[in-house]
Amino acid sequence: AAPEGPAGTGKTETVKDLAKALARLCVVFNCSDELDHLAMAKFFKGLAASGGWACFDEFNRIGPEVLSVIAQQILLIQSAIRERRTQFDFEGQMMPIKWTC
């Protein structure tokens, strides 16, 4: 899900509360314009392996060229979940995946 709306309306807290109600790990990540696709790849690997959720604050600060690569990374994870795989190739490395991520 991707909640959207004005600042200060409780989007992050809502996601955290939902995760808590479903007994899921939820990590809040504050994005910046200096974030690159390599840092996000490490983050996604952890989420995929743990089955955790992420809430990306200030996602709009990420540059378009980095967003393009991040979109491809997310598609890889979504495809692995859709195909009900227990492992998948993520940037040249076989990774375990939990479908709750």
Side-chain angles (χ1 to χ4, degrees):
E4 62 178 278
T9 56
K11 297 176 297 293
T12 299
E13 290 304 315
T14 300
V15 171
K16 287 170 43 180
D17 289 346
L18 178 60
K20 184 177 181 180
L22 297 174
R24 302 280 185 243
L25 169 69
C26 183
V27 179
V28 177
F29 188 82
N30 291 307
C31 301
S32 76
D33 55 354
E34 295 183 14
L35 189 64
D36 65 9
H37 71 282
L38 298 173
M40 289 301 290
K42 289 179 184 179
F43 194 74
F44 288 145
K45 286 177 183 181
L47 289 174
S50 69
W53 290 6
C55 185
F56 297 102
D57 271 350
E58 304 296 334
F59 197 73
N60 57 313
R61 291 186 180 187
I62 301 172
E65 60 284 342
V66 176
L67 280 175
S68 177
V69 178
I70 290 172
Q72 293 301 314
Q73 293 169 335
I74 291 171
L75 281 173
L76 284 172
I77 294 169
Q78 288 176 327
S79 294
I81 293 169
R82 190 173 27 259
E83 295 168 10
R84 298 288 202 203
R85 302 181 87 181
T86 57
Q87 290 188 329
F88 73 116
D89 184 352
F90 189 80
E91 300 202 336
Q93 182 179 4
M94 288 304 288
M95 294 290 309
I97 185 166
K98 293 191 177 179
W99 303 334
T100 58
C101 74

